[in-house]
PDB file of all heavy atoms in Angstrom:
ATOM      1  N   LEU A 251      -8.628 -11.384  -2.270  1.00 98.00           N
ATOM      2  CA  LEU A 251      -8.179 -12.246  -1.177  1.00 98.00           C
ATOM      3  C   LEU A 251      -9.395 -12.969  -0.609  1.00 98.00           C
ATOM      4  O   LEU A 251     -10.324 -12.340  -0.113  1.00 98.00           O
ATOM      5  CB  LEU A 251      -7.507 -11.424  -0.075  1.00 98.00           C
ATOM      6  CG  LEU A 251      -7.073 -12.186   1.177  1.00 98.00           C
ATOM      7  CD1 LEU A 251      -5.994 -13.206   0.855  1.00 98.00           C
ATOM      8  CD2 LEU A 251      -6.594 -11.214   2.255  1.00 98.00           C
ATOM      9  N   SER A 252      -9.390 -14.293  -0.669  1.00 97.00           N
ATOM     10  CA  SER A 252     -10.528 -15.074  -0.175  1.00 97.00           C
ATOM     11  C   SER A 252     -10.361 -15.413   1.294  1.00 97.00           C
ATOM     12  O   SER A 252      -9.241 -15.464   1.819  1.00 97.00           O
ATOM     13  CB  SER A 252     -10.671 -16.366  -0.988  1.00 97.00           C
ATOM     14  OG  SER A 252      -9.612 -17.256  -0.679  1.00 97.00           O
ATOM     15  N   GLN A 253     -11.485 -15.710   1.940  1.00 97.00           N
ATOM     16  CA  GLN A 253     -11.428 -16.154   3.327  1.00 97.00           C
ATOM     17  C   GLN A 253     -10.708 -17.497   3.423  1.00 97.00           C
ATOM     18  O   GLN A 253     -10.014 -17.771   4.409  1.00 97.00           O
ATOM     19  CB  GLN A 253     -12.837 -16.275   3.911  1.00 97.00           C
ATOM     20  CG  GLN A 253     -12.868 -16.620   5.398  1.00 97.00           C
ATOM     21  CD  GLN A 253     -12.137 -15.599   6.243  1.00 97.00           C
ATOM     22  OE1 GLN A 253     -12.375 -14.403   6.145  1.00 97.00           O
ATOM     23  NE2 GLN A 253     -11.230 -16.075   7.111  1.00 97.00           N
ATOM     24  N   GLU A 254     -10.849 -18.330   2.409  1.00 97.00           N
ATOM     25  CA  GLU A 254     -10.157 -19.620   2.395  1.00 97.00           C
ATOM     26  C   GLU A 254      -8.641 -19.425   2.447  1.00 97.00           C
ATOM     27  O   GLU A 254      -7.935 -20.172   3.141  1.00 97.00           O
ATOM     28  CB  GLU A 254     -10.545 -20.406   1.148  1.00 97.00           C
ATOM     29  CG  GLU A 254     -11.960 -20.932   1.150  1.00 97.00           C
ATOM     30  CD  GLU A 254     -13.003 -19.861   0.839  1.00 97.00           C
ATOM     31  OE1 GLU A 254     -12.621 -18.739   0.408  1.00 97.00           O
ATOM     32  OE2 GLU A 254     -14.201 -20.136   1.041  1.00 97.00           O
ATOM     33  N   THR A 255      -8.139 -18.415   1.716  1.00 98.00           N
ATOM     34  CA  THR A 255      -6.708 -18.151   1.751  1.00 98.00           C
ATOM     35  C   THR A 255      -6.276 -17.647   3.119  1.00 98.00           C
ATOM     36  O   THR A 255      -5.231 -18.052   3.639  1.00 98.00           O
ATOM     37  CB  THR A 255      -6.327 -17.134   0.658  1.00 98.00           C
ATOM     38  OG1 THR A 255      -6.593 -17.697  -0.629  1.00 98.00           O
ATOM     39  CG2 THR A 255      -4.851 -16.772   0.736  1.00 98.00           C
ATOM     40  N   VAL A 256      -7.076 -16.770   3.724  1.00 98.00           N
ATOM     41  CA  VAL A 256      -6.753 -16.284   5.064  1.00 98.00           C
ATOM     42  C   VAL A 256      -6.694 -17.451   6.050  1.00 98.00           C
ATOM     43  O   VAL A 256      -5.782 -17.539   6.888  1.00 98.00           O
ATOM     44  CB  VAL A 256      -7.774 -15.233   5.535  1.00 98.00           C
ATOM     45  CG1 VAL A 256      -7.515 -14.834   6.984  1.00 98.00           C
ATOM     46  CG2 VAL A 256      -7.734 -14.003   4.634  1.00 98.00           C
ATOM     47  N   ASP A 257      -7.651 -18.372   5.952  1.00 97.00           N
ATOM     48  CA  ASP A 257      -7.661 -19.545   6.837  1.00 97.00           C
ATOM     49  C   ASP A 257      -6.399 -20.396   6.631  1.00 97.00           C
ATOM     50  O   ASP A 257      -5.806 -20.899   7.594  1.00 97.00           O
ATOM     51  CB  ASP A 257      -8.906 -20.387   6.594  1.00 97.00           C
ATOM     52  CG  ASP A 257     -10.185 -19.677   7.014  1.00 97.00           C
ATOM     53  OD1 ASP A 257     -10.105 -18.711   7.795  1.00 97.00           O
ATOM     54  OD2 ASP A 257     -11.266 -20.091   6.554  1.00 97.00           O
ATOM     55  N   ALA A 258      -6.005 -20.557   5.366  1.00 97.00           N
ATOM     56  CA  ALA A 258      -4.795 -21.339   5.076  1.00 97.00           C
ATOM     57  C   ALA A 258      -3.550 -20.636   5.600  1.00 97.00           C
ATOM     58  O   ALA A 258      -2.617 -21.289   6.091  1.00 97.00           O
ATOM     59  CB  ALA A 258      -4.677 -21.583   3.571  1.00 97.00           C
ATOM     60  N   MET A 259      -3.524 -19.311   5.514  1.00 97.00           N
ATOM     61  CA  MET A 259      -2.401 -18.553   6.057  1.00 97.00           C
ATOM     62  C   MET A 259      -2.318 -18.743   7.568  1.00 97.00           C
ATOM     63  O   MET A 259      -1.220 -18.921   8.126  1.00 97.00           O
ATOM     64  CB  MET A 259      -2.557 -17.075   5.706  1.00 97.00           C
ATOM     65  CG  MET A 259      -2.451 -16.775   4.218  1.00 97.00           C
ATOM     66  SD  MET A 259      -3.086 -15.128   3.776  1.00 97.00           S
ATOM     67  CE  MET A 259      -1.781 -14.073   4.404  1.00 97.00           C
ATOM     68  N   ALA A 260      -3.464 -18.729   8.240  1.00 97.00           N
ATOM     69  CA  ALA A 260      -3.488 -18.921   9.690  1.00 97.00           C
ATOM     70  C   ALA A 260      -3.014 -20.322  10.064  1.00 97.00           C
ATOM     71  O   ALA A 260      -2.371 -20.513  11.103  1.00 97.00           O
ATOM     72  CB  ALA A 260      -4.896 -18.673  10.224  1.00 97.00           C
ATOM     73  N   GLY A 261      -3.306 -21.299   9.205  1.00 96.00           N
ATOM     74  CA  GLY A 261      -2.835 -22.658   9.473  1.00 96.00           C
ATOM     75  C   GLY A 261      -1.333 -22.789   9.401  1.00 96.00           C
ATOM     76  O   GLY A 261      -0.737 -23.630  10.080  1.00 96.00           O
ATOM     77  N   ARG A 262      -0.701 -21.943   8.594  1.00 96.00           N
ATOM     78  CA  ARG A 262       0.751 -21.998   8.456  1.00 96.00           C
ATOM     79  C   ARG A 262       1.457 -21.019   9.384  1.00 96.00           C
ATOM     80  O   ARG A 262       2.669 -21.118   9.580  1.00 96.00           O
ATOM     81  CB  ARG A 262       1.138 -21.699   7.000  1.00 96.00           C
ATOM     82  CG  ARG A 262       0.562 -22.695   6.004  1.00 96.00           C
ATOM     83  CD  ARG A 262       1.190 -22.508   4.650  1.00 96.00           C
ATOM     84  NE  ARG A 262       0.577 -23.355   3.629  1.00 96.00           N
ATOM     85  CZ  ARG A 262       1.200 -23.779   2.540  1.00 96.00           C
ATOM     86  NH1 ARG A 262       2.472 -23.457   2.349  1.00 96.00           N
ATOM     87  NH2 ARG A 262       0.587 -24.524   1.651  1.00 96.00           N
ATOM     88  N   HIS A 263       0.740 -20.054   9.903  1.00 95.00           N
ATOM     89  CA  HIS A 263       1.308 -19.055  10.810  1.00 95.00           C
ATOM     90  C   HIS A 263       0.385 -18.992  12.023  1.00 95.00           C
ATOM     91  O   HIS A 263      -0.527 -18.168  12.093  1.00 95.00           O
ATOM     92  CB  HIS A 263       1.371 -17.686  10.122  1.00 95.00           C
ATOM     93  CG  HIS A 263       2.171 -16.650  10.860  1.00 95.00           C
ATOM     94  ND1 HIS A 263       1.956 -16.330  12.177  1.00 95.00           N
ATOM     95  CD2 HIS A 263       3.201 -15.855  10.452  1.00 95.00           C
ATOM     96  CE1 HIS A 263       2.786 -15.382  12.551  1.00 95.00           C
ATOM     97  NE2 HIS A 263       3.568 -15.081  11.514  1.00 95.00           N
ATOM     98  N   PRO A 264       0.611 -19.862  13.000  1.00 87.00           N
ATOM     99  CA  PRO A 264      -0.326 -19.990  14.129  1.00 87.00           C
ATOM    100  C   PRO A 264      -0.552 -18.713  14.916  1.00 87.00           C
ATOM    101  O   PRO A 264      -1.607 -18.556  15.538  1.00 87.00           O
ATOM    102  CB  PRO A 264       0.344 -21.064  15.004  1.00 87.00           C
ATOM    103  CG  PRO A 264       1.220 -21.831  14.059  1.00 87.00           C
ATOM    104  CD  PRO A 264       1.706 -20.824  13.066  1.00 87.00           C
TER     105      PRO A 264
END
Side-chain angles (χ1 to χ4, degrees):
L251 176 64
S252 71
Q253 185 59 51
E254 289 77 11
T255 296
V256 174
D257 293 341
M259 294 164 74
R262 299 191 186 207
H263 191 307

